Amino acid sequence: MAGSAPRVGVLALQGDVREHLRMLEALGADAVPVRREAELDRLAGLVIPGGESSVMDKLSRAFGVAEPIRGRIAAGMPVYGTCAGLIMLADTVLDAIEGQRSFGGIDIAVRRNAFGSQVESFETDLEVPALGDPPVHAVFIRAPVVETVGESANVLASLPDGRVVAVEQGNLLGTSFHPEMTSDDRFHRRFLETVAAVTA
Ligand code: GLN
C-alpha cells in the first residue's frame, strides 16, 4: 500500500522495533524504522517500542531526536508508546535513573519497574472498554504503572486492583504492556485510526 498508506515510524534506537514494524505493516501502514531527525520529518505518526527507557532517553539525545520528537508531539503528531515507550510519553517518571528524561506529552506520572523483582513479567486478560470484546491478552515485562492521571489524560484500562495500565490523551496513546508481542492488533489499529484522522 505504499503511496496511499500513511508513513508511520517506529523509533529504532533500542527495543522491540521489529515486532511493531511487522504489526503496522500487516495493518497496511508504510512502517519505517526511525533514528534521525530527517526521517522524523516525513512521518504521520510514531511508535515508541518497549525496551529500556533510560537507554532510549540517552540514545535519543545522542542521536539528536529528543527535541524534534518533543516538537512533533507538541504539534499533535499521533504517538503510541508501549512499556518503555509509555514511560517516554509520561510527563513525570518515578524511579527514573539520575538525569533520566522523558519526551512527555501525557499528563501522567508512571513508575518504572512497578511490579518489583518478584513479579517481573506476567500475562493477564484485560478489559479495555474502548476496544470492546474480547479482553486484551496483555503481556507485562518489567512494566511501568501509571500512578497519577492528570486532568487531560483518559484511562483506557486498569488491572483488577485498580492500577492503571493504558491511557490516552489527544493523539497520544500508551500501554504498560506489549500488544506487539501478541496477535491482537487493536491498539495498533486505534493508533492508525488517529493517524488517519489527523492526516485526512
Ligand atoms: N523497565 C523498562 C524501563 O524502565 C521497561 C520494560 C519494557 O519496555 N518491557 O524502561
Side-chain angles (χ1 to χ4, degrees), residues 34-62:
V34 167
R35 293 183 192 86
R36 299 199 163 73
E37 183 176 2
E39 295 162 337
L40 203 60
D41 289 342
R42 296 192 292 271
L43 300 180
L46 180 69
V47 167
I48 307 178
E52 173 49 54
S53 57
S54 58
V55 178
M56 235 180 263
D57 166 41
K58 280 187 190 139
L59 291 176
S60 68
R61 287 191 260 170

mmCIF file with all atom_site columns, all heavy atoms in Angstrom, residues 34-62:
data_model
loop_
_atom_site.group_PDB
_atom_site.id
_atom_site.type_symbol
_atom_site.label_atom_id
_atom_site.label_alt_id
_atom_site.label_comp_id
_atom_site.label_asym_id
_atom_site.label_entity_id
_atom_site.label_seq_id
_atom_site.pdbx_PDB_ins_code
_atom_site.Cartn_x
_atom_site.Cartn_y
_atom_site.Cartn_z
_atom_site.occupancy
_atom_site.B_iso_or_equiv
_atom_site.pdbx_formal_charge
_atom_site.auth_seq_id
_atom_site.auth_comp_id
_atom_site.auth_asym_id
_atom_site.auth_atom_id
_atom_site.pdbx_PDB_model_num
ATOM 1   N N   . VAL A 1 34 ? 13.052 4.515  12.530 1.00 0.00 ? 34 VAL A N   1
ATOM 2   C CA  . VAL A 1 34 ? 13.464 5.925  12.546 1.00 0.00 ? 34 VAL A CA  1
ATOM 3   C C   . VAL A 1 34 ? 14.546 6.154  13.599 1.00 0.00 ? 34 VAL A C   1
ATOM 4   O O   . VAL A 1 34 ? 14.393 5.743  14.752 1.00 0.00 ? 34 VAL A O   1
ATOM 5   C CB  . VAL A 1 34 ? 12.232 6.813  12.855 1.00 0.00 ? 34 VAL A CB  1
ATOM 6   C CG1 . VAL A 1 34 ? 12.653 8.225  13.188 1.00 0.00 ? 34 VAL A CG1 1
ATOM 7   C CG2 . VAL A 1 34 ? 11.272 6.819  11.687 1.00 0.00 ? 34 VAL A CG2 1
ATOM 8   N N   . ARG A 1 35 ? 15.626 6.784  13.160 1.00 0.00 ? 35 ARG A N   1
ATOM 9   C CA  . ARG A 1 35 ? 16.726 7.123  14.078 1.00 0.00 ? 35 ARG A CA  1
ATOM 10  C C   . ARG A 1 35 ? 17.180 8.568  13.968 1.00 0.00 ? 35 ARG A C   1
ATOM 11  O O   . ARG A 1 35 ? 17.929 9.043  14.791 1.00 0.00 ? 35 ARG A O   1
ATOM 12  C CB  . ARG A 1 35 ? 17.952 6.239  13.789 1.00 0.00 ? 35 ARG A CB  1
ATOM 13  C CG  . ARG A 1 35 ? 17.759 4.802  14.110 1.00 0.00 ? 35 ARG A CG  1
ATOM 14  C CD  . ARG A 1 35 ? 19.001 3.976  13.873 1.00 0.00 ? 35 ARG A CD  1
ATOM 15  N NE  . ARG A 1 35 ? 18.629 2.572  13.934 1.00 0.00 ? 35 ARG A NE  1
ATOM 16  C CZ  . ARG A 1 35 ? 18.162 1.884  12.907 1.00 0.00 ? 35 ARG A CZ  1
ATOM 17  N NH1 . ARG A 1 35 ? 18.058 2.451  11.715 1.00 0.00 ? 35 ARG A NH1 1
ATOM 18  N NH2 . ARG A 1 35 ? 17.808 0.625  13.058 1.00 0.00 ? 35 ARG A NH2 1
ATOM 19  N N   . ARG A 1 36 ? 16.779 9.234  12.917 1.00 0.00 ? 36 ARG A N   1
ATOM 20  C CA  . ARG A 1 36 ? 17.321 10.568 12.645 1.00 0.00 ? 36 ARG A CA  1
ATOM 21  C C   . ARG A 1 36 ? 16.229 11.604 12.483 1.00 0.00 ? 36 ARG A C   1
ATOM 22  O O   . ARG A 1 36 ? 15.109 11.287 12.093 1.00 0.00 ? 36 ARG A O   1
ATOM 23  C CB  . ARG A 1 36 ? 18.142 10.540 11.353 1.00 0.00 ? 36 ARG A CB  1
ATOM 24  C CG  . ARG A 1 36 ? 19.285 9.601  11.451 1.00 0.00 ? 36 ARG A CG  1
ATOM 25  C CD  . ARG A 1 36 ? 20.373 9.860  10.428 1.00 0.00 ? 36 ARG A CD  1
ATOM 26  N NE  . ARG A 1 36 ? 21.568 9.165  10.879 1.00 0.00 ? 36 ARG A NE  1
ATOM 27  C CZ  . ARG A 1 36 ? 21.702 7.841  10.820 1.00 0.00 ? 36 ARG A CZ  1
ATOM 28  N NH1 . ARG A 1 36 ? 20.729 7.107  10.329 1.00 0.00 ? 36 ARG A NH1 1
ATOM 29  N NH2 . ARG A 1 36 ? 22.801 7.276  11.266 1.00 0.00 ? 36 ARG A NH2 1
ATOM 30  N N   . GLU A 1 37 ? 16.605 12.843 12.728 1.00 0.00 ? 37 GLU A N   1
ATOM 31  C CA  . GLU A 1 37 ? 15.637 13.933 12.643 1.00 0.00 ? 37 GLU A CA  1
ATOM 32  C C   . GLU A 1 37 ? 15.016 14.020 11.252 1.00 0.00 ? 37 GLU A C   1
ATOM 33  O O   . GLU A 1 37 ? 13.802 14.215 11.120 1.00 0.00 ? 37 GLU A O   1
ATOM 34  C CB  . GLU A 1 37 ? 16.327 15.256 13.006 1.00 0.00 ? 37 GLU A CB  1
ATOM 35  C CG  . GLU A 1 37 ? 15.352 16.408 13.011 1.00 0.00 ? 37 GLU A CG  1
ATOM 36  C CD  . GLU A 1 37 ? 15.978 17.716 13.463 1.00 0.00 ? 37 GLU A CD  1
ATOM 37  O OE1 . GLU A 1 37 ? 17.196 17.744 13.735 1.00 0.00 ? 37 GLU A OE1 1
ATOM 38  O OE2 . GLU A 1 37 ? 15.225 18.702 13.547 1.00 0.00 ? 37 GLU A OE2 1
ATOM 39  N N   . ALA A 1 38 ? 15.842 13.866 10.212 1.00 0.00 ? 38 ALA A N   1
ATOM 40  C CA  . ALA A 1 38 ? 15.319 13.990 8.843  1.00 0.00 ? 38 ALA A CA  1
ATOM 41  C C   . ALA A 1 38 ? 14.248 12.933 8.566  1.00 0.00 ? 38 ALA A C   1
ATOM 42  O O   . ALA A 1 38 ? 13.281 13.195 7.850  1.00 0.00 ? 38 ALA A O   1
ATOM 43  C CB  . ALA A 1 38 ? 16.454 13.877 7.833  1.00 0.00 ? 38 ALA A CB  1
ATOM 44  N N   . GLU A 1 39 ? 14.420 11.733 9.153  1.00 0.00 ? 39 GLU A N   1
ATOM 45  C CA  . GLU A 1 39 ? 13.423 10.671 8.943  1.00 0.00 ? 39 GLU A CA  1
ATOM 46  C C   . GLU A 1 39 ? 12.121 11.011 9.661  1.00 0.00 ? 39 GLU A C   1
ATOM 47  O O   . GLU A 1 39 ? 11.038 10.671 9.195  1.00 0.00 ? 39 GLU A O   1
ATOM 48  C CB  . GLU A 1 39 ? 13.968 9.334  9.467  1.00 0.00 ? 39 GLU A CB  1
ATOM 49  C CG  . GLU A 1 39 ? 15.177 8.846  8.708  1.00 0.00 ? 39 GLU A CG  1
ATOM 50  C CD  . GLU A 1 39 ? 15.965 7.769  9.476  1.00 0.00 ? 39 GLU A CD  1
ATOM 51  O OE1 . GLU A 1 39 ? 15.865 7.703  10.718 1.00 0.00 ? 39 GLU A OE1 1
ATOM 52  O OE2 . GLU A 1 39 ? 16.681 7.016  8.815  1.00 0.00 ? 39 GLU A OE2 1
ATOM 53  N N   . LEU A 1 40 ? 12.252 11.705 10.755 1.00 0.00 ? 40 LEU A N   1
ATOM 54  C CA  . LEU A 1 40 ? 11.103 12.090 11.568 1.00 0.00 ? 40 LEU A CA  1
ATOM 55  C C   . LEU A 1 40 ? 10.188 13.070 10.819 1.00 0.00 ? 40 LEU A C   1
ATOM 56  O O   . LEU A 1 40 ? 8.968  13.031 10.944 1.00 0.00 ? 40 LEU A O   1
ATOM 57  C CB  . LEU A 1 40 ? 11.651 12.742 12.836 1.00 0.00 ? 40 LEU A CB  1
ATOM 58  C CG  . LEU A 1 40 ? 10.846 12.798 14.089 1.00 0.00 ? 40 LEU A CG  1
ATOM 59  C CD1 . LEU A 1 40 ? 10.512 11.395 14.562 1.00 0.00 ? 40 LEU A CD1 1
ATOM 60  C CD2 . LEU A 1 40 ? 11.650 13.528 15.163 1.00 0.00 ? 40 LEU A CD2 1
ATOM 61  N N   . ASP A 1 41 ? 10.835 13.918 10.021 1.00 0.00 ? 41 ASP A N   1
ATOM 62  C CA  . ASP A 1 41 ? 10.084 14.974 9.334  1.00 0.00 ? 41 ASP A CA  1
ATOM 63  C C   . ASP A 1 41 ? 8.990  14.425 8.430  1.00 0.00 ? 41 ASP A C   1
ATOM 64  O O   . ASP A 1 41 ? 7.992  15.085 8.200  1.00 0.00 ? 41 ASP A O   1
ATOM 65  C CB  . ASP A 1 41 ? 11.041 15.827 8.484  1.00 0.00 ? 41 ASP A CB  1
ATOM 66  C CG  . ASP A 1 41 ? 11.937 16.686 9.363  1.00 0.00 ? 41 ASP A CG  1
ATOM 67  O OD1 . ASP A 1 41 ? 11.599 16.872 10.545 1.00 0.00 ? 41 ASP A OD1 1
ATOM 68  O OD2 . ASP A 1 41 ? 12.970 17.167 8.852  1.00 0.00 ? 41 ASP A OD2 1
ATOM 69  N N   . ARG A 1 42 ? 9.197  13.231 7.905  1.00 0.00 ? 42 ARG A N   1
ATOM 70  C CA  . ARG A 1 42 ? 8.258  12.706 6.898  1.00 0.00 ? 42 ARG A CA  1
ATOM 71  C C   . ARG A 1 42 ? 7.170  11.829 7.491  1.00 0.00 ? 42 ARG A C   1
ATOM 72  O O   . ARG A 1 42 ? 6.412  11.204 6.760  1.00 0.00 ? 42 ARG A O   1
ATOM 73  C CB  . ARG A 1 42 ? 9.034  11.905 5.850  1.00 0.00 ? 42 ARG A CB  1
ATOM 74  C CG  . ARG A 1 42 ? 10.010 12.761 5.051  1.00 0.00 ? 42 ARG A CG  1
ATOM 75  C CD  . ARG A 1 42 ? 10.545 12.018 3.852  1.00 0.00 ? 42 ARG A CD  1
ATOM 76  N NE  . ARG A 1 42 ? 11.415 10.910 4.251  1.00 0.00 ? 42 ARG A NE  1
ATOM 77  C CZ  . ARG A 1 42 ? 12.742 11.047 4.439  1.00 0.00 ? 42 ARG A CZ  1
ATOM 78  N NH1 . ARG A 1 42 ? 13.317 12.221 4.264  1.00 0.00 ? 42 ARG A NH1 1
ATOM 79  N NH2 . ARG A 1 42 ? 13.465 10.016 4.796  1.00 0.00 ? 42 ARG A NH2 1
ATOM 80  N N   . LEU A 1 43 ? 7.082  11.775 8.812  1.00 0.00 ? 43 LEU A N   1
ATOM 81  C CA  . LEU A 1 43 ? 6.153  10.825 9.436  1.00 0.00 ? 43 LEU A CA  1
ATOM 82  C C   . LEU A 1 43 ? 4.781  11.423 9.737  1.00 0.00 ? 43 LEU A C   1
ATOM 83  O O   . LEU A 1 43 ? 4.672  12.571 10.149 1.00 0.00 ? 43 LEU A O   1
ATOM 84  C CB  . LEU A 1 43 ? 6.725  10.326 10.767 1.00 0.00 ? 43 LEU A CB  1
ATOM 85  C CG  . LEU A 1 43 ? 8.062  9.602  10.737 1.00 0.00 ? 43 LEU A CG  1
ATOM 86  C CD1 . LEU A 1 43 ? 8.434  9.200  12.154 1.00 0.00 ? 43 LEU A CD1 1
ATOM 87  C CD2 . LEU A 1 43 ? 7.995  8.396  9.812  1.00 0.00 ? 43 LEU A CD2 1
ATOM 88  N N   . ALA A 1 44 ? 3.756  10.546 9.602  1.00 0.00 ? 44 ALA A N   1
ATOM 89  C CA  . ALA A 1 44 ? 2.407  10.923 10.036 1.00 0.00 ? 44 ALA A CA  1
ATOM 90  C C   . ALA A 1 44 ? 2.126  10.441 11.449 1.00 0.00 ? 44 ALA A C   1
ATOM 91  O O   . ALA A 1 44 ? 1.139  10.840 12.065 1.00 0.00 ? 44 ALA A O   1
ATOM 92  C CB  . ALA A 1 44 ? 1.381  10.348 9.067  1.00 0.00 ? 44 ALA A CB  1
ATOM 93  N N   . GLY A 1 45 ? 2.981  9.564  11.961 1.00 0.00 ? 45 GLY A N   1
ATOM 94  C CA  . GLY A 1 45 ? 2.796  9.039  13.313 1.00 0.00 ? 45 GLY A CA  1
ATOM 95  C C   . GLY A 1 45 ? 4.039  8.283  13.735 1.00 0.00 ? 45 GLY A C   1
ATOM 96  O O   . GLY A 1 45 ? 4.886  7.946  12.898 1.00 0.00 ? 45 GLY A O   1
ATOM 97  N N   . LEU A 1 46 ? 4.153  8.046  15.024 1.00 0.00 ? 46 LEU A N   1
ATOM 98  C CA  . LEU A 1 46 ? 5.363  7.390  15.550 1.00 0.00 ? 46 LEU A CA  1
ATOM 99  C C   . LEU A 1 46 ? 4.983  6.392  16.648 1.00 0.00 ? 46 LEU A C   1
ATOM 100 O O   . LEU A 1 46 ? 4.135  6.689  17.493 1.00 0.00 ? 46 LEU A O   1
ATOM 101 C CB  . LEU A 1 46 ? 6.301  8.449  16.138 1.00 0.00 ? 46 LEU A CB  1
ATOM 102 C CG  . LEU A 1 46 ? 7.626  7.948  16.752 1.00 0.00 ? 46 LEU A CG  1
ATOM 103 C CD1 . LEU A 1 46 ? 8.557  7.425  15.656 1.00 0.00 ? 46 LEU A CD1 1
ATOM 104 C CD2 . LEU A 1 46 ? 8.321  9.069  17.531 1.00 0.00 ? 46 LEU A CD2 1
ATOM 105 N N   . VAL A 1 47 ? 5.640  5.224  16.609 1.00 0.00 ? 47 VAL A N   1
ATOM 106 C CA  . VAL A 1 47 ? 5.506  4.260  17.706 1.00 0.00 ? 47 VAL A CA  1
ATOM 107 C C   . VAL A 1 47 ? 6.818  4.238  18.478 1.00 0.00 ? 47 VAL A C   1
ATOM 108 O O   . VAL A 1 47 ? 7.906  4.231  17.882 1.00 0.00 ? 47 VAL A O   1
ATOM 109 C CB  . VAL A 1 47 ? 5.168  2.849  17.170 1.00 0.00 ? 47 VAL A CB  1
ATOM 110 C CG1 . VAL A 1 47 ? 5.333  1.798  18.255 1.00 0.00 ? 47 VAL A CG1 1
ATOM 111 C CG2 . VAL A 1 47 ? 3.747  2.818  16.611 1.00 0.00 ? 47 VAL A CG2 1
ATOM 112 N N   . ILE A 1 48 ? 6.725  4.279  19.795 1.00 0.00 ? 48 ILE A N   1
ATOM 113 C CA  . ILE A 1 48 ? 7.909  4.148  20.648 1.00 0.00 ? 48 ILE A CA  1
ATOM 114 C C   . ILE A 1 48 ? 7.822  2.764  21.292 1.00 0.00 ? 48 ILE A C   1
ATOM 115 O O   . ILE A 1 48 ? 6.863  2.468  22.009 1.00 0.00 ? 48 ILE A O   1
ATOM 116 C CB  . ILE A 1 48 ? 7.965  5.258  21.717 1.00 0.00 ? 48 ILE A CB  1
ATOM 117 C CG1 . ILE A 1 48 ? 7.837  6.629  21.047 1.00 0.00 ? 48 ILE A CG1 1
ATOM 118 C CG2 . ILE A 1 48 ? 9.278  5.165  22.497 1.00 0.00 ? 48 ILE A CG2 1
ATOM 119 C CD1 . ILE A 1 48 ? 7.841  7.793  22.014 1.00 0.00 ? 48 ILE A CD1 1
ATOM 120 N N   . PRO A 1 49 ? 8.802  1.895  21.006 1.00 0.00 ? 49 PRO A N   1
ATOM 121 C CA  . PRO A 1 49 ? 8.684  0.491  21.394 1.00 0.00 ? 49 PRO A CA  1
ATOM 122 C C   . PRO A 1 49 ? 8.973  0.265  22.880 1.00 0.00 ? 49 PRO A C   1
ATOM 123 O O   . PRO A 1 49 ? 9.347  1.179  23.615 1.00 0.00 ? 49 PRO A O   1
ATOM 124 C CB  . PRO A 1 49 ? 9.757  -0.185 20.536 1.00 0.00 ? 49 PRO A CB  1
ATOM 125 C CG  . PRO A 1 49 ? 10.803 0.858  20.361 1.00 0.00 ? 49 PRO A CG  1
ATOM 126 C CD  . PRO A 1 49 ? 10.053 2.177  20.288 1.00 0.00 ? 49 PRO A CD  1
ATOM 127 N N   . GLY A 1 50 ? 8.832  -0.996 23.272 1.00 0.00 ? 50 GLY A N   1
ATOM 128 C CA  . GLY A 1 50 ? 9.286  -1.415 24.588 1.00 0.00 ? 50 GLY A CA  1
ATOM 129 C C   . GLY A 1 50 ? 10.790 -1.617 24.550 1.00 0.00 ? 50 GLY A C   1
ATOM 130 O O   . GLY A 1 50 ? 11.381 -1.783 23.493 1.00 0.00 ? 50 GLY A O   1
ATOM 131 N N   . GLY A 1 51 ? 11.400 -1.599 25.698 1.00 0.00 ? 51 GLY A N   1
ATOM 132 C CA  . GLY A 1 51 ? 12.849 -1.738 25.779 1.00 0.00 ? 51 GLY A CA  1
ATOM 133 C C   . GLY A 1 51 ? 13.303 -1.245 27.129 1.00 0.00 ? 51 GLY A C   1
ATOM 134 O O   . GLY A 1 51 ? 12.827 -1.704 28.159 1.00 0.00 ? 51 GLY A O   1
ATOM 135 N N   . GLU A 1 52 ? 14.184 -0.274 27.138 1.00 0.00 ? 52 GLU A N   1
ATOM 136 C CA  . GLU A 1 52 ? 14.696 0.285  28.390 1.00 0.00 ? 52 GLU A CA  1
ATOM 137 C C   . GLU A 1 52 ? 14.680 1.804  28.249 1.00 0.00 ? 52 GLU A C   1
ATOM 138 O O   . GLU A 1 52 ? 15.444 2.369  27.475 1.00 0.00 ? 52 GLU A O   1
ATOM 139 C CB  . GLU A 1 52 ? 16.112 -0.270 28.640 1.00 0.00 ? 52 GLU A CB  1
ATOM 140 C CG  . GLU A 1 52 ? 16.818 0.336  29.801 1.00 0.00 ? 52 GLU A CG  1
ATOM 141 C CD  . GLU A 1 52 ? 15.967 0.372  31.072 1.00 0.00 ? 52 GLU A CD  1
ATOM 142 O OE1 . GLU A 1 52 ? 15.456 -0.679 31.489 1.00 0.00 ? 52 GLU A OE1 1
ATOM 143 O OE2 . GLU A 1 52 ? 15.805 1.470  31.642 1.00 0.00 ? 52 GLU A OE2 1
ATOM 144 N N   . SER A 1 53 ? 13.793 2.432  29.022 1.00 0.00 ? 53 SER A N   1
ATOM 145 C CA  . SER A 1 53 ? 13.560 3.862  28.819 1.00 0.00 ? 53 SER A CA  1
ATOM 146 C C   . SER A 1 53 ? 14.794 4.715  29.089 1.00 0.00 ? 53 SER A C   1
ATOM 147 O O   . SER A 1 53 ? 15.016 5.725  28.403 1.00 0.00 ? 53 SER A O   1
ATOM 148 C CB  . SER A 1 53 ? 12.394 4.326  29.692 1.00 0.00 ? 53 SER A CB  1
ATOM 149 O OG  . SER A 1 53 ? 12.655 4.032  31.060 1.00 0.00 ? 53 SER A OG  1
ATOM 150 N N   . SER A 1 54 ? 15.618 4.320  30.067 1.00 0.00 ? 54 SER A N   1
ATOM 151 C CA  . SER A 1 54 ? 16.791 5.162  30.368 1.00 0.00 ? 54 SER A CA  1
ATOM 152 C C   . SER A 1 54 ? 17.788 5.121  29.205 1.00 0.00 ? 54 SER A C   1
ATOM 153 O O   . SER A 1 54 ? 18.417 6.139  28.887 1.00 0.00 ? 54 SER A O   1
ATOM 154 C CB  . SER A 1 54 ? 17.457 4.696  31.671 1.00 0.00 ? 54 SER A CB  1
ATOM 155 O OG  . SER A 1 54 ? 17.848 3.350  31.567 1.00 0.00 ? 54 SER A OG  1
ATOM 156 N N   . VAL A 1 55 ? 17.890 3.980  28.536 1.00 0.00 ? 55 VAL A N   1
ATOM 157 C CA  . VAL A 1 55 ? 18.784 3.870  27.373 1.00 0.00 ? 55 VAL A CA  1
ATOM 158 C C   . VAL A 1 55 ? 18.189 4.635  26.190 1.00 0.00 ? 55 VAL A C   1
ATOM 159 O O   . VAL A 1 55 ? 18.891 5.364  25.483 1.00 0.00 ? 55 VAL A O   1
ATOM 160 C CB  . VAL A 1 55 ? 19.010 2.384  27.007 1.00 0.00 ? 55 VAL A CB  1
ATOM 161 C CG1 . VAL A 1 55 ? 19.896 2.264  25.781 1.00 0.00 ? 55 VAL A CG1 1
ATOM 162 C CG2 . VAL A 1 55 ? 19.621 1.624  28.179 1.00 0.00 ? 55 VAL A CG2 1
ATOM 163 N N   . MET A 1 56 ? 16.887 4.481  26.012 1.00 0.00 ? 56 MET A N   1
ATOM 164 C CA  . MET A 1 56 ? 16.218 5.188  24.915 1.00 0.00 ? 56 MET A CA  1
ATOM 165 C C   . MET A 1 56 ? 16.369 6.694  25.076 1.00 0.00 ? 56 MET A C   1
ATOM 166 O O   . MET A 1 56 ? 16.572 7.427  24.108 1.00 0.00 ? 56 MET A O   1
ATOM 167 C CB  . MET A 1 56 ? 14.739 4.823  24.922 1.00 0.00 ? 56 MET A CB  1
ATOM 168 C CG  . MET A 1 56 ? 14.245 4.281  23.601 1.00 0.00 ? 56 MET A CG  1
ATOM 169 S SD  . MET A 1 56 ? 12.499 3.892  23.706 1.00 0.00 ? 56 MET A SD  1
ATOM 170 C CE  . MET A 1 56 ? 12.566 2.154  24.027 1.00 0.00 ? 56 MET A CE  1
ATOM 171 N N   . ASP A 1 57 ? 16.262 7.141  26.321 1.00 0.00 ? 57 ASP A N   1
ATOM 172 C CA  . ASP A 1 57 ? 16.438 8.568  26.607 1.00 0.00 ? 57 ASP A CA  1
ATOM 173 C C   . ASP A 1 57 ? 17.841 9.017  26.185 1.00 0.00 ? 57 ASP A C   1
ATOM 174 O O   . ASP A 1 57 ? 17.996 9.983  25.437 1.00 0.00 ? 57 ASP A O   1
ATOM 175 C CB  . ASP A 1 57 ? 16.203 8.814  28.102 1.00 0.00 ? 57 ASP A CB  1
ATOM 176 C CG  . ASP A 1 57 ? 16.697 10.173 28.552 1.00 0.00 ? 57 ASP A CG  1
ATOM 177 O OD1 . ASP A 1 57 ? 16.489 11.160 27.813 1.00 0.00 ? 57 ASP A OD1 1
ATOM 178 O OD2 . ASP A 1 57 ? 17.319 10.252 29.638 1.00 0.00 ? 57 ASP A OD2 1
ATOM 179 N N   . LYS A 1 58 ? 18.849 8.272  26.645 1.00 0.00 ? 58 LYS A N   1
ATOM 180 C CA  . LYS A 1 58 ? 20.235 8.673  26.326 1.00 0.00 ? 58 LYS A CA  1
ATOM 181 C C   . LYS A 1 58 ? 20.473 8.661  24.821 1.00 0.00 ? 58 LYS A C   1
ATOM 182 O O   . LYS A 1 58 ? 21.060 9.587  24.268 1.00 0.00 ? 58 LYS A O   1
ATOM 183 C CB  . LYS A 1 58 ? 21.229 7.713  26.984 1.00 0.00 ? 58 LYS A CB  1
ATOM 184 C CG  . LYS A 1 58 ? 21.436 8.020  28.453 1.00 0.00 ? 58 LYS A CG  1
ATOM 185 C CD  . LYS A 1 58 ? 22.552 7.178  29.050 1.00 0.00 ? 58 LYS A CD  1
ATOM 186 C CE  . LYS A 1 58 ? 22.565 7.330  30.566 1.00 0.00 ? 58 LYS A CE  1
ATOM 187 N NZ  . LYS A 1 58 ? 22.801 6.080  31.265 1.00 0.00 ? 58 LYS A NZ  1
ATOM 188 N N   . LEU A 1 59 ? 20.027 7.591  24.162 1.00 0.00 ? 59 LEU A N   1
ATOM 189 C CA  . LEU A 1 59 ? 20.278 7.477  22.727 1.00 0.00 ? 59 LEU A CA  1
ATOM 190 C C   . LEU A 1 59 ? 19.513 8.545  21.944 1.00 0.00 ? 59 LEU A C   1
ATOM 191 O O   . LEU A 1 59 ? 20.015 9.073  20.963 1.00 0.00 ? 59 LEU A O   1
ATOM 192 C CB  . LEU A 1 59 ? 19.905 6.075  22.230 1.00 0.00 ? 59 LEU A CB  1
ATOM 193 C CG  . LEU A 1 59 ? 20.815 4.946  22.724 1.00 0.00 ? 59 LEU A CG  1
ATOM 194 C CD1 . LEU A 1 59 ? 20.299 3.592  22.263 1.00 0.00 ? 59 LEU A CD1 1
ATOM 195 C CD2 . LEU A 1 59 ? 22.246 5.141  22.225 1.00 0.00 ? 59 LEU A CD2 1
ATOM 196 N N   . SER A 1 60 ? 18.310 8.849  22.390 1.00 0.00 ? 60 SER A N   1
ATOM 197 C CA  . SER A 1 60 ? 17.521 9.851  21.649 1.00 0.00 ? 60 SER A CA  1
ATOM 198 C C   . SER A 1 60 ? 18.197 11.220 21.720 1.00 0.00 ? 60 SER A C   1
ATOM 199 O O   . SER A 1 60 ? 18.155 11.993 20.760 1.00 0.00 ? 60 SER A O   1
ATOM 200 C CB  . SER A 1 60 ? 16.086 9.930  22.179 1.00 0.00 ? 60 SER A CB  1
ATOM 201 O OG  . SER A 1 60 ? 16.057 10.470 23.484 1.00 0.00 ? 60 SER A OG  1
ATOM 202 N N   . ARG A 1 61 ? 18.851 11.485 22.850 1.00 0.00 ? 61 ARG A N   1
ATOM 203 C CA  . ARG A 1 61 ? 19.596 12.760 22.937 1.00 0.00 ? 61 ARG A CA  1
ATOM 204 C C   . ARG A 1 61 ? 20.859 12.686 22.095 1.00 0.00 ? 61 ARG A C   1
ATOM 205 O O   . ARG A 1 61 ? 21.203 13.631 21.387 1.00 0.00 ? 61 ARG A O   1
ATOM 206 C CB  . ARG A 1 61 ? 19.913 13.069 24.392 1.00 0.00 ? 61 ARG A CB  1
ATOM 207 C CG  . ARG A 1 61 ? 18.652 13.508 25.133 1.00 0.00 ? 61 ARG A CG  1
ATOM 208 C CD  . ARG A 1 61 ? 18.963 14.073 26.470 1.00 0.00 ? 61 ARG A CD  1
ATOM 209 N NE  . ARG A 1 61 ? 18.743 13.108 27.542 1.00 0.00 ? 61 ARG A NE  1
ATOM 210 C CZ  . ARG A 1 61 ? 19.126 13.310 28.795 1.00 0.00 ? 61 ARG A CZ  1
ATOM 211 N NH1 . ARG A 1 61 ? 19.765 14.408 29.117 1.00 0.00 ? 61 ARG A NH1 1
ATOM 212 N NH2 . ARG A 1 61 ? 18.873 12.403 29.710 1.00 0.00 ? 61 ARG A NH2 1
ATOM 213 N N   . ALA A 1 62 ? 21.567 11.543 22.171 1.00 0.00 ? 62 ALA A N   1
ATOM 214 C CA  . ALA A 1 62 ? 22.804 11.398 21.402 1.00 0.00 ? 62 ALA A CA  1
ATOM 215 C C   . ALA A 1 62 ? 22.533 11.491 19.900 1.00 0.00 ? 62 ALA A C   1
ATOM 216 O O   . ALA A 1 62 ? 23.346 12.036 19.152 1.00 0.00 ? 62 ALA A O   1
ATOM 217 C CB  . ALA A 1 62 ? 23.465 10.062 21.741 1.00 0.00 ? 62 ALA A CB  1
#
